[in-house]
Amino acid sequence: MSANAPNRKGIEARAALLDLMPRQEEDARRRLAELVESVAARRPPTTSFSRLCILGSLQAKVTCAYLAYWLRSRWADADERERLKSETHLKAALELLGTMGYLRGAVMKLGQMLATFPDALPDEFARLLPALHFEAPPMHYAMVREVFLDEFGREPHELFASFEKEAFAAASLGQVHRARLHSGELVAVKIQYPGIARTIEADLKNLRLLMQPMRLGEDWGNVVAKLAEVERVLLAETDYLAEASFAQTVRDSFTPEDGIVIPRVYPEYSTRRVLTTEYLAGVHLEEFLATAPSQELRDRYTHLMTLATMRMLYRTHWLLADPNPGNYIFMPDGRLGLVDFGCTRQLTEEEWQVQVEVEEALLRRDEKEMERLIVKSSLYESAEQMGRERLELIGTVIRWQLEPWLTEGIFDFGDEDFFRRGMEAMAAVTRKGFMRGMPVHIWTTRFVLGARGVVYRLKGRCDFQDIYRRESGRNKAPA
């Protein structure tokens, strides 16, 4: 977020949301304003039953909206049907945004993931859901005070020289306020929503309940393992001290010459539920794109994003498990700011070895070894047990994920055909239910898809293979 006019940021955030809506849709704009205002003062529910009821109510409202569209469109001409469809999409998007903003936690993370792929959504959803990354409805300041009193025994204005009551960014697990230390430094203070860990546990409990019909299938054991993996990683994200430690590890991996900035952590102002870091001035992806940047600038930031993720992966074996536009700050001087290291996953030795073996087999064009590794990572004993259709579809996804590794010279991440091939392959795997595999694949897949979604929207290019060789230490070109 830009540092301009800090005392008006709450008004600006609400205005930014409203500006996402077409001017003629006054009813929708008024509803959105009411939604933002109402959610701010409400605590997210933390019990499984209450959250499930709210999601059930959302489903009913959306279903009714589309049923009404179907009935009304039967007697409408083509233009009127298009208008009604757009209006229905808008109503459904507002309901979705409001419910996810209220529930927060794992439910809101799902909305953030969807927002990374706007081409896969109706325009009305694509305009609204990106707000979940950093302009979600914030909690009321009274709840902020409560967190500070619990964590520090002091109110924000007692701890800092100044503290802005209006959050300038808000997302799934917490919101961020600007403040100034008594020593003069401008900082960003991330504050966790009350009870957020309980909401994650409740959401995963509901998900297990909803998936009970699958328990008779042969993949149920793998489903249970993956749900446990998701719960473990998301709950780890609620520990801001762990995030602070990892942020310092990443910060130590870069030099000023890299052009990548990781904000400094202030441990004396940080706890498990409050994280204070250096404030980075700049803009997020949507604001950056609104300036109509040159291709040269798009390519520079794509290079920096690739360098950042490759260095973390190959030097520390850590993944940004949920990369999204909110992670990146486009700074005025051309540097890239990287923030929010809560949702991360370190690969075990066994997981890392599989990653390396797959890369090497692909670079050698060793199809026999690739098949063996796909079978192994999908937790089957043989290709025959796995089945030819599943083997080929999973192979298509993996080859698409690693296609930049095979391409000499400049790789165009903004190429629509490349992006759509990947989305279609992933959709085919999902439709077929071919989801069995090592639990870590949840995060490696999310790592690739999230990052691809950002650079696709950026329409950026870079010499991916050159960055890969330098960061991995594999300096020889593939045979």
Side-chain angles (χ1 to χ4, degrees):
M1 287 291 174
S2 170
N4 296 332
N7 60 325
R8 301 186 59 203
K9 203 58 190 178
I11 298 172
E12 291 174 359
R14 188 173 296 113
L17 279 170
L18 293 174
D19 286 343
L20 290 168
M21 312 304 299
R23 288 291 171 187
Q24 67 270 26
E25 294 167 337
E26 293 299 331
D27 287 345
R29 291 167 57 78
R30 185 171 59 255
R31 168 74 181 116
L32 181 55
E34 292 169 355
L35 180 156
V36 172
E37 199 67 38
S38 66
V39 169
R42 300 161 66 194
R43 290 176 178 271
T46 59
T47 67
S48 300
F49 180 74
S50 59
R51 293 176 73 81
L52 190 60
C53 286
I54 292 168
L55 288 174
S57 175
L58 169 66
Q59 182 183 26
K61 290 176 183 177
V62 171
T63 300
C64 287
Y66 282 102
L67 177 61
Y69 158 71
W70 178 76
L71 291 171
R72 293 168 67 190
S73 65
R74 295 182 67 188
W75 294 278
D77 59 26
D79 289 344
E80 179 66 6
R81 280 198 300 271
E82 192 60 33
R83 188 192 69 78
L84 289 172
K85 182 169 70 173
S86 178
E87 179 184 286
T88 304
H89 284 333
L90 185 56
K91 288 179 179 178
L94 283 166
E95 291 291 351
L96 190 63
L97 179 67
T99 301
M100 288 181 166
Y102 175 42
L103 292 177
R104 309 189 194 274
V107 170
M108 193 161 155
K109 273 198 169 292
L110 176 61
Q112 291 175 333
M113 290 179 187
L114 290 173
T116 308
F117 307 104
D119 287 5
L121 301 167
D123 289 345
E124 293 77 10
F125 286 78
R127 288 201 303 270
L128 277 176
L129 289 184
L132 289 172
H133 287 303
F134 31 77
E135 289 179 336
M139 62 178 162
H140 195 275
Y141 183 67
M143 298 183 201
V144 173
R145 290 179 61 248
E146 180 182 317
V147 173
F148 267 80
L149 290 170
D150 287 345
E151 296 297 305
F152 298 102
R154 302 165 69 185
E155 296 200 22
H157 71 270
E158 296 175 317
L159 197 62
F160 298 99
S162 65
F163 184 90
E164 294 180 11
K165 292 185 176 182
E166 291 275 2
F168 73 86
S172 57
L173 304 189
Q175 63 189 45
V176 191
H177 294 248
R178 258 187 300 266
R180 191 172 295 278
L181 303 181
H182 290 287
S183 51
E185 294 94 337
L186 190 62
V187 294
V189 186
K190 183 162 73 169
I191 304 154
Q192 194 174 116
Y193 302 131
I196 203 67
R198 293 198 301 277
T199 72
I200 292 171
E201 291 169 342
D203 288 340
L204 268 295
K205 182 178 179 180
N206 284 333
L207 188 55
R208 290 185 180 95
L209 180 65
L210 293 171
M211 297 179 77
Q212 282 300 305
M214 296 176 60
R215 67 180 302 117
L216 298 179
E218 64 175 23
D219 293 341
W220 178 247
N222 188 235
V223 170
V224 171
K226 285 185 173 180
L227 290 175
E229 167 77 11
V230 169
E231 185 169 24
R232 184 180 68 80
V233 171
L234 293 184
L235 286 175
E237 190 176 354
T238 65
D239 183 354
Y240 285 178
L241 290 180
E243 178 179 346
S245 176
F246 177 65
Q248 186 60 52
T249 297
V250 176
R251 180 179 166 87
D252 292 342
S253 300
F254 294 96
T255 65
E257 292 73 29
D258 291 320
I260 295 167
V261 182
I262 313 299
R264 171 189 172 188
V265 174
Y266 292 89
E268 62 271 37
Y269 297 95
S270 301
T271 70
R272 287 177 64 91
R273 297 170 62 204
V274 177
L275 178 62
T276 302
T277 65
E278 171 189 5
Y279 176 78
L280 301 184
V283 297
H284 286 293
L285 180 63
E286 294 297 327
E287 293 169 272
F288 175 72
L289 293 177
T291 67
S294 66
Q295 187 62 53
E296 180 182 7
L297 196 54
R298 292 169 186 264
D299 292 348
R300 170 177 171 75
Y301 280 116
T302 300
H303 172 90
L304 292 176
M305 288 179 184
T306 304
L307 173 61
T309 53
M310 290 292 100
R311 184 160 299 178
M312 279 188 281
L313 178 61
Y314 288 101
R315 296 198 184 182
T316 69
H317 300 178
W318 279 87
L319 296 171
L320 273 179
D322 182 27
N324 63 73
N327 292 129
Y328 305 104
I329 295 179
F330 299 81
M331 302 179 72
D333 57 7
R335 294 181 299 166
L336 178 70
L338 199 59
V339 299
D340 192 357
F341 299 98
C343 193
T344 57
R345 172 64 152 77
Q346 186 171 31
L347 301 182
T348 66
E349 195 60 42
E350 178 186 4
E351 291 163 351
W352 178 248
Q353 188 59 36
V354 172
Q355 169 76 17
V356 170
E357 289 176 356
V358 169
E359 285 178 18
E360 292 179 345
L362 190 67
L363 292 171
R364 294 195 310 268
R365 270 69 170 187
D366 187 339
E367 290 300 319
K368 185 175 181 180
E369 178 66 2
M370 272 294 294
E371 180 175 296
R372 184 189 73 81
L373 290 168
I374 292 170
V375 170
K376 177 183 176 181
S377 62
S378 299
L379 306 179
Y380 287 96
E381 296 295 327
S382 66
E384 291 73 24
Q385 183 191 22
M386 185 173 181
R388 181 53 51 183
E389 183 183 23
R390 185 187 296 247
L391 181 60
E392 290 179 355
L393 264 179
I394 298 297
T396 298
V397 170
I398 292 175
R399 288 177 179 83
W400 176 81
Q401 290 179 347
L402 295 177
E403 192 169 320
W405 275 255
L406 290 171
T407 305
E408 289 278 3
I410 299 300
F411 191 91
D412 184 3
F413 286 101
D415 181 75
E416 186 174 342
D417 177 68
F418 167 71
F419 187 76
R420 289 196 179 279
R421 279 193 289 112
M423 295 303 98
E424 288 169 2
M426 285 297 304
V429 167
T430 303
R431 282 196 305 269
K432 292 285 186 178
F434 295 164
M435 308 304 291
R436 178 168 167 174
M438 299 168 68
V440 71
H441 289 168
I442 297 167
W443 309 115
T444 55
T445 300
R446 176 62 192 142
F447 167 70
V448 171
L449 293 184
R452 294 272 167 90
V454 173
V455 290
Y456 173 69
R457 292 172 64 192
L458 188 57
K459 303 299 182 189
R461 308 170 301 184
C462 71
D463 191 335
F464 184 96
Q465 196 176 90
D466 179 65
I467 298 171
Y468 160 69
R469 289 177 190 161
R470 285 188 284 107
E471 295 305 317
S472 67
R474 302 180 180 92
N475 295 312
K476 294 182 179 179

